[in-house]
Amino acid sequence: MLTPNKWPDRSSTLTRYVDWDPQSTGHLFSAEKSATLPYEHRVFSGGGTRLFKIGQLPGQMYTRTLGSYRDQTETGGSLLSLEYTYEARAGQNWKAYTRIWSDAAGRVVNFDEAGNLNVYVEQFPDGTTASARMSRLAQLPATDQALVELSKSTSIWSAGDKIYGLLNGTIRSWNYSAALNNITLGPSAAGTVIATGLTDAATAWSPAPGVFYTKTTDGAVKKFTGSPLTLINDDFAVGLNGDVFAGAASCLSSAGDEKPYFGQVPVDDLNVPSVPPASTTSPPPSGPEVVSGRFLLPDGSPAAGMNVVVEASDLLPAENEGVVNLPDLGSTTTDADGGWSLTIPDSLPPEVQTVVSDNGGALNVTATTTGRSESGVTLVGTDNLTAAPEEPGTGTRTRFAATVTEGEGVHSVKLLPALADPETVVPDPTPEEQQTTYAAQLDRQATYDSDQVALTWQSDRGTSPEAYNPYLINGTNITSQRVTPLADTCYWDSDVVSRQTAYTVVGESHAYWDAAGNVEYKSTLSNTIDVGFSASGDLWSVSGSTSVGSSAAGVAGFSWRGPYVAKQWKVPIEYNKVKKTRRCGGIPMNSFYEIRPSKFKVPSGQPVGAYGKDARQLDGPVRYANSNPRYRSWLPPYATWAIETGHSVKWSGAAVAFGVSFGASTSYDGSHKQSIRAGGKTARKHYIWGYSAPPGAHMGVIYSN
């Protein structure tokens, strides 16, 4: 199965997919093999490993030629290995044949410009591939009533001795045969109705007679079989972009218990250890009482000698209930390298201690420093971090607080201009504006891209700028200007100007082949989520993160699902848009904006959780072969494994709030974990591997093969 991602003005990508065991509910997955098609080149299947490609002749802009190719990726070759090119013949206009496919005999079938149906066979007049040509075997005139009906179809394909057409949610079939100077379609002009009510189907195809797939415009694939036609898998594949060219077989055989593979049959990897015994003890939690970071000037050099104030950032006021000067936890000065650190006080103010206790023992703080450029522009550096203070009375730290601070490292944060008008509030983007943003585009993708890298700057109300320079102000670039620390007699206050609930990724489960997986997420929240920063209120970047550990009793993930299921799980989190204003003697001087996650909150009438993106493409033999060998392990039949320690991966695009995309991760424990369970089809091992470590360590995510 091959799908090109088409673009009207550039090259496209041809990707090979494998339809494993189409007799059963099965699964469609990428073989991780692709080829680039030049602009206006098109391909269609010739059956089996054969492909036909229509391409431009060198130096002839308006002429197209037809070539035969083989998919040799199973033996280490190319996806498009040229067999031969057919001679260009008078009357053959391959460019104009927009509806073209091959029948069960491998012959080329097409509608020409006049609407006639043509069947071509290949010939080798002198017995060499150099003389290969396509000769018309027969033609059915456009006036044939069965052809008139077939031509109305939006999707046409062949399987066995039939031609199928999809039109307005209905699949019809016509008996088909072709011989010298004779094509028949029948038995009736209207064809035979195979299925109706497929209202979301944009295209369709068959891997063999009796099995049908439909695809929506957004790439969701459903599978049907039987008589009458019955839906057997409504989640066969997602994110399948472009047109699908299936190499239909004459019949199907069951894969049985055989594990999916590409090329050679897999053998057990004797160097991979089995999963270790589950740990019965856990070390006492430890974590920093010290927060630290590093501030940089606009040109990237150290911001030395800058005053840094550290505040408890979770004590925000209710929306539209005035402003608050967040409690100071202390101040310090950056060293020659721009670095700073602060030891959290042993005794926190009562209101801060209450918030910490409500947040699972984690203390979220914001470190702020302020300066002024030579041209008088106020610059602010903000970093959001989490500390794990000891609880009063017990002298211990909570596991959540210790985990979220583990391995966080030192942030390096540049000072940025504070340009927002301190006297007015920038309005939230409208729903229509938010639909045009990078965040909305990323959120609409059906599959999760683990390599997705977030933009440095995002617009919350339109297309994000590709090259935004925040230091270009009124035509002057202040990047290299000297920065002077501002007096610490002024302060920044906080005002919540808007609140919004966004479903945020908190888990991910993987189950390939003979396995099932689940996400457990209950009793308490346990997340670390990006914080947004905006100098003006409409362009946003990430400024550290904050940890949300508040109580959310009753929240749950999803139960065991599989095989061939990999899903993200999301829960509703409330986000605050905060306007921070610098006041000197009570007079507002400068402002900037933040977007901060705060707590679990279910919108009225909405679910407590929802499925996120599909992640099946991250499992399977190709991904396993490309994984770090040190992170691999295996499960015997019916065995389970769960991650209960460390951090998950950081999911890019985990949530969209106020038109901005944010990343997030989860801290694993007994209430927040990803599990996998091997089935018992055969005695084969079920291989798993971690994103960042093997089982028994901080895996991040369990992947499945």
Side-chain angles (χ1 to χ4, degrees), residues 115-241:
N116 304 310
L117 187 72
N118 302 282
V119 178
Y120 290 90
V121 294
E122 60 188 8
Q123 293 182 329
F124 304 91
D126 63 6
T128 68
T129 58
S131 65
R133 70 188 187 196
M134 277 288 178
S135 297
R136 189 166 65 193
L137 176 71
Q139 182 181 83
L140 187 64
T143 55
D144 181 89
Q145 289 304 300
L147 186 57
V148 170
E149 287 296 319
L150 175 65
S151 66
K152 297 176 183 178
S153 305
T154 54
S155 186
I156 300 175
W157 67 98
S158 291
D161 61 353
K162 290 180 171 53
I163 291 181
Y164 297 91
L166 171 70
L167 177 65
N168 298 330
T170 297
I171 294 177
R172 294 182 291 173
S173 73
W174 290 262
N175 293 337
Y176 159 79
S177 65
L180 184 62
N181 297 322
N182 182 52
I183 301 174
T184 61
L185 286 178
S188 67
T192 301
V193 174
I194 302 298
T196 59
L198 310 176
T199 54
D200 61 350
T203 59
W205 68 93
S206 295
V211 181
F212 300 88
Y213 298 114
T214 64
K215 183 170 75 73
T216 63
T217 54
D218 60 0
V221 179
K222 298 179 180 179
K223 183 175 185 178
F224 301 81
T225 189
S227 182
L229 207 61
T230 303
L231 176 65
I232 63 170
N233 190 340
D234 63 355
D235 190 25
F236 188 74
V238 297
L240 198 66
N241 298 316

Side-chain angles (χ1 to χ4, degrees), residues 433-641:
E433 288 174 326
Q434 292 185 47
Q435 287 303 309
T436 65
T437 62
Y438 159 81
Q441 177 186 0
L442 182 62
D443 199 46
R444 284 192 291 266
Q445 294 177 4
T447 58
Y448 177 64
D449 182 359
S450 60
D451 297 323
Q452 181 78 42
V453 178
L455 297 179
T456 302
W457 291 96
Q458 299 180 49
S459 169
D460 63 9
R461 60 200 67 210
T463 304
S464 297
E466 294 185 7
Y468 171 61
N469 181 359
Y471 304 109
L472 187 61
I473 300 172
N474 298 325
T476 300
N477 192 331
I478 67 168
T479 302
S480 300
Q481 291 187 2
R482 182 170 56 88
V483 177
T484 303
L486 285 178
D488 57 6
T489 54
C490 301
Y491 64 91
W492 294 90
D493 64 28
S494 300
D495 179 19
V496 176
V497 297
S498 188
R499 284 193 165 98
Q500 188 177 103
T501 299
Y503 282 82
T504 304
V505 176
V506 296
E508 184 175 308
S509 171
H510 290 263
Y512 188 81
W513 185 48
D514 187 27
N518 77 339
V519 169
E520 291 186 40
Y521 192 84
K522 56 189 179 182
S523 299
T524 58
L525 292 169
S526 187
N527 302 93
T528 300
I529 307 172
D530 287 342
V531 174
F533 171 92
S534 177
S536 56
D538 59 351
L539 289 176
W540 296 84
S541 63
V542 169
S543 177
S545 60
T546 188
S547 296
V548 181
S550 56
S551 174
V555 177
F558 57 86
S559 58
W560 297 99
R561 291 195 60 189
Y564 305 120
V565 173
K567 295 284 188 182
Q568 294 181 334
W569 183 251
K570 303 190 295 185
V571 300
I573 302 290
E574 185 178 74
Y575 289 77
N576 302 297
K577 181 181 281 190
V578 181
K579 184 176 183 181
K580 304 203 74 171
T581 302
R582 178 171 170 265
R583 297 182 186 272
C584 300
I587 300 173
M589 305 296 292
N590 313 95
S591 287
F592 65 90
Y593 288 83
E594 288 183 332
I595 297 176
R596 308 184 65 88
S598 61
K599 60 183 178 181
F600 172 81
K601 183 177 182 180
V602 182
S604 177
Q606 298 301 308
V608 297
Y611 286 110
K613 295 182 184 296
D614 191 278
R616 278 174 284 191
Q617 78 281 2
L618 302 179
D619 295 324
V622 175
R623 292 285 181 164
Y624 175 78
N626 293 330
S627 68
N628 189 324
R630 296 186 295 110
Y631 298 166
R632 299 173 185 167
S633 188
W634 58 270
L635 290 166
Y638 304 111
T640 62
W641 184 262

